[in-house]
Amino acid sequence: IGQVYAVRLWTGEDVVVKVVRPGTEIIFEQDIEILTDMAAWAAQHTALGKLYNLPVLIEEFAHTIRAEFDYISEARNVESFARNFETDPSIYIPKIFWDQTTRHVITLERVAGVKINDLAGLDAAGIDRREVAENLMHFALRQIFEFGLYHADPHAGNFFVQPDASLAVIDFGMVGRLNQHLKRTFLGVALAIERKDTD
């Protein structure tokens, strides 16, 4: 969807600029049209299609990806996470440069660090892996149980480990939200795991 560039602004800040690739929205919509037709056919003619509601899955997929084309929405997500973790020294969310952000261009403070899955790099930097793991779990648990707003694309490329084992987190194009009922359900599951209560 996007191309990412390392840039220095005229004002001197080092930033990352992500730009929607020209023409990708058109290609995506054509692909979704094809997938929608295939899902409708499968729902009528295959056992798998009858078992799963494939058209609804395609709709949900399309909705999620369409949101990734809107960098204003992503910038708002970044600001929500920044507010949620502003007093948390274990998590860093980069700053948005709103004057250089549009629906198809997002400009963020450039962050660096060791990739979270670069074990040799973590060891070479003298960073305690256990502390990194604790910070990552802390990030996940606060999102689910406290805020009900979570990063829905948490692959290793989106986490940069800092020298103090804190995490700089990037790429908030996909986020999810949990209502109070789901938060309570997850809490019940977590408590059951802790108590070894399979029922």
Side-chain angles (χ1 to χ4, degrees), residues 39 41-57:
W41 183 89
Q44 295 286 322
H45 299 96
T46 69
L48 181 71
K50 288 179 175 70
L51 182 62
Y52 297 103
N53 192 342
L54 298 178
V56 168
L57 290 175

Side-chain angles (χ1 to χ4, degrees), residues 16-37:
V16 169
V17 177
K18 186 163 61 168
V19 181
V20 172
R21 290 176 188 266
T24 51
E25 283 183 279
I26 294 166
I27 293 167
F28 173 74
E29 291 302 334
Q30 290 169 345
D31 289 346
I32 287 300
E33 192 175 324
I34 292 165
L35 285 171
T36 299
D37 290 346

